[in-house]
Amino acid sequence: MAQNRFPLRINVGFLLNAPISTSREISFDLPSIKLGEDLDLKNLIGKVNLTRTPKGILVEADFSSSMFVECVRCLEEYDQKLHTVFSELYAFHENSVTESGLIVPEDANIDLLTVLREYFLIEVPIKLICKEDCKGLCSECGENLNYNTCEHQVH
Ligand SMILES: [Zn+2]
Ligand SMILES: [Zn+2]
């Protein structure tokens, strides 16, 4: 099956001339998506609420996903869950842009990929640990202490 080149693109053309406060909810459900080289995600589930405001299109988003990573303690791979909630205004004109600098493009296609990437990157823990009480590896023999014990562990 051909992959959608812009899986997070929304055409907001239908809202541009709609009455103020008109809103529409859009759902996303993608089995996998790459938000850049270092952010390879699985099961991206999202809900985006678009609202026409006097200054632009307000995007209120709620996304969950997971990434396959290696635990820094036991070196086993696991699914790190990610969740983010954000709202951003895509301005109609440059004089109403927010700090994020987002603007509704001329073709009315808002692509959430870059923004979502920024928000997910904040959510990635600095220390990737498979579970809070991960026992890690024995520093002597390298045994994974989540599964086994070894002679080096004194109880
Ligand atoms: Zn671990
Ligand atoms: Zn050991």
Side-chain angles (χ1 to χ4, degrees), residues 11-73:
N11 190 299
V12 297
F14 67 96
L15 277 177
L16 298 184
N17 297 311
I20 305 296
S21 300
T22 303
S23 69
R24 171 86 61 93
E25 192 175 90
I26 293 178
S27 305
F28 292 91
D29 187 347
L30 302 164
S32 69
I33 184 168
K34 226 174 172 165
L35 303 180
E37 284 308 310
D38 53 348
L39 212 51
D40 210 343
L41 304 178
K42 287 190 305 181
N43 303 321
L44 180 74
I45 309 284
K47 241 190 233 166
V48 175
N49 202 66
L50 305 164
T51 307
R52 189 348 182 152
T53 76
K55 290 181 171 179
I57 305 294
L58 179 67
V59 173
E60 293 167 293
D62 185 320
F63 280 95
S64 315
S65 191
S66 68
M67 63 194 289
F68 204 46
V69 294
E70 191 177 84
C71 172
V72 295
R73 283 192 199 155

Side-chain angles (χ1 to χ4, degrees), residues 71-76 78 128-131 134-136 146:
C71 172
V72 295
R73 283 192 199 155
C74 69
L75 310 181
E76 294 255 318
Y78 73 99
L128 296 167
I129 295 168
C130 64
K131 53 185 181 196
C134 171
K135 297 189 181 79
N146 293 313

